[in-house]
Amino acid sequence: MKTLSIKDIALKANVSITTVSFIINGKAKEKAISDAVIKKVQKIIKDSGYKPNQLARSLRTGTSHIIGLIVEDISNSFFSSIARLIEDKAYKKGYKIIYSSTENNVEKTKELINLFKVRKVDAYIISPIKGIEEDIQDLLNDNKPVILFDRNLPKLDTNYVGANHFEASYQAIESFIKDGKRNIALVTTDIDVQQITERFEGYKKSIIDYELPYQENLVLKIPFNQTETTTIKQIKELLKNTEIDAVLFATNYLAISGLKALKDLNKKIDDSFSIIGYDDHEAFELHSPSISTIQQPLEEIAEAIIQLILAQLATKTKLPDQQIVIPAKLIIRS
Amino acid sequence: MKTLSIKDIALKANVSITTVSFIINGKAKEKAISDAVIKKVQKIIKDSGYKPNQLARSLRTGTSHIIGLIVEDISNSFFSSIARLIEDKAYKKGYKIIYSSTENNVEKTKELINLFKVRKVDAYIISPIKGIEEDIQDLLNDNKPVILFDRNLPKLDTNYVGANHFEASYQAIESFIKDGKRNIALVTTDIDVQQITERFEGYKKSIIDYELPYQENLVLKIPFNQTETTTIKQIKELLKNTEIDAVLFATNYLAISGLKALKDLNKKIDDSFSIIGYDDHEAFELHSPSISTIQQPLEEIAEAIIQLILAQLATKTKLPDQQIVIPAKLIIRS
DNA sequence: CTGAAAGCGCTTACAG
DNA sequence: CTGAAAGCGCTTACAG
């Protein structure tokens, strides 16, 4: 059962492939094709189940109705939730999403961008890492919509959607301080991306604003590419400092590791020791006691991204870049 | 900055595009291209940063070095973990993965398969739903490798990789019974797919084998497409039956909803009331007490899938279908 | 040892 | 109102 081509349809309908193409692409009216021919061709298309070959179409037109989504790690619930929301929204507008993980690997990311590029993806949604500025600039020069999210690359002029990490982190620490905490630790990662830096800056600023001493030994920077076992060990090490009365975890997976460390240590979360996580995770709410967390509004972020994409796709002219910063919310649970 | 084509390279090298193509595709030796020409062309390719257009290549050859992965819901950690593992392994062999979620929607799944098909995906990994048998059969007729996983479609002759759900569920119930439980509930979903049915059958068989009465009112079938709030309500309703001394949850998200219900009810998990979940979830281990669970060996499943794919891709002839059933493990935590 | 040419399946400027 | 033809960027059978 060979798959049908536009030629087969043209043959059956006894018209040229040009005519068939016009009809398929809704240009029949514009091109003044007679109603009779339109009807006939449409019937044949329907009866035969013919579907245009998108590869050939993309090769010719340079478009694909596909949006490429590049995230750090699809198995992280923050990214998979966003991916799912974007997928839903895009699908309703006739766009498909294909996604892939960078694993914070510059080489892999470059290859992915190239993969998407040669496949004529119409737009890119990227949670970027440093080192791919040039590749993204190429896309922009190529007039492709690019939306960065979660992290920004300050060197680039492009669209960005993300939460206000500085503010969120500041508020989390503020709430600790108002609760009487004095030795507040930060467990973060060593990857050098804007949103992680912001979380750190918010932590620091809040401590200084409230005239607490900034203690470098209370900040633990976990290497990105190490096993969770090692991470847990390092967190336990940190917690040997019994002065610590509160911990902010800068990502959800670090908070999970932190909870495991606490469990190992048999250390309770109570009036004298609090923690706050980042991004939500099913485990936070279920934990006894429930874990407070800084929540990024996934729905709003996904919506903002898709709106930006659609706006750009709908127009030929380059729209002004937008930097959309959405406030994250501190969810206090207890 | 127009992107380069094979023509540009041929022009620069002063050879035909045929020669360039042979060199790119490693057929230079076979086609007896002179070493001098090979060197020259390769240098030009390298210096110019030329990358062959994969779209054109796919259109011509019908292959793409891409594997399509279709799962129920990428935001479910079972699927996102498998996706990530498969992606890693495939990437090492030079294959890229593109994935998408079916949301248990037959129409969307058909469209996705078509999307992948017209893009000449080399192989398919699908966690299928009923109603797409024909589409998959088309792929098989088309001589494309298809690996079903997680769920099988018994009507089809194709490869399958999955866990032994019947056995796993049987053992879970058996362990409850050996613990002295007598009124064991099952919370499962109403979707009619093999692996869910098997979990139910294992539950039933175990109860009957151990000569306990099979009580229909202890089996709760949750509709797939409802809100979690409703699910939690239904589970709470079930738990009003205080005779129940143990519950097996047939999926990880149902177990999560179950834990939320218990938290709402302030009902403790202890000697007189036990639960077992399905698939792992960070929240299970962290919960106090830790939640026992039936664990599918993700790494082994991913490895089996990728091996099957690579074996099929490596040969032109159709290999015999394989049904790989991997035992799930009951992880008892306490 | 190397090249001209057909063809994969489309779209579209041009012609009539 | 409709069609012949060029071209998107490749691969490969054929010819020399």
Side-chain angles (χ1 to χ4, degrees), chain B residues 140-179:
Chain B
L140 293 171
N141 295 344
D142 214 27
N143 232 339
K144 294 290 179 198
V146 176
I147 316 288
L148 303 184
F149 84 105
D150 187 46
R151 330 158 167 194
N152 208 346
L153 289 176
K155 285 188 208 152
L156 291 174
D157 280 335
T158 186
N159 298 283
Y160 166 74
V161 176
N164 191 336
H165 301 286
F166 175 87
E167 192 68 21
S169 167
Y170 188 98
Q171 284 170 8
I173 302 304
E174 194 172 35
S175 91
F176 275 150
I177 295 173
K178 289 189 173 156
D179 259 16

Side-chain angles (χ1 to χ4, degrees), chain A residues 66-74 98-121 123-129 132 135-136 139, chain B residues 51 54 65-67 84 87-88 90-92 94-99:
Chain A
I66 295 187
I67 298 170
L69 173 59
I70 297 180
V71 300
E72 174 186 308
D73 174 5
I74 196 65
I98 57 181
Y99 24 110
S100 227
S101 311
T102 69
E103 306 169 42
N104 282 319
N105 176 333
V106 173
E107 268 322 301
K108 188 175 178 201
T109 308
K110 282 169 181 272
E111 283 186 45
L112 286 175
I113 290 179
N114 196 260
L115 172 74
F116 287 177
K117 187 155 68 179
V118 298
R119 286 194 163 66
K120 308 294 180 195
V121 153
Y124 297 78
I125 305 171
I126 305 178
S127 105
I129 50 178
I132 59 164
D135 304 73
I136 293 182
L139 296 178
Chain B
K51 292 264 195 311
Q54 300 297 333
H65 264 67
I66 294 188
I67 298 170
R84 177 64 194 278
E87 191 177 355
D88 277 1
Y91 188 75
K92 285 181 189 140
Y95 283 89
K96 306 285 194 312
I97 302 279
I98 57 182
Y99 25 112

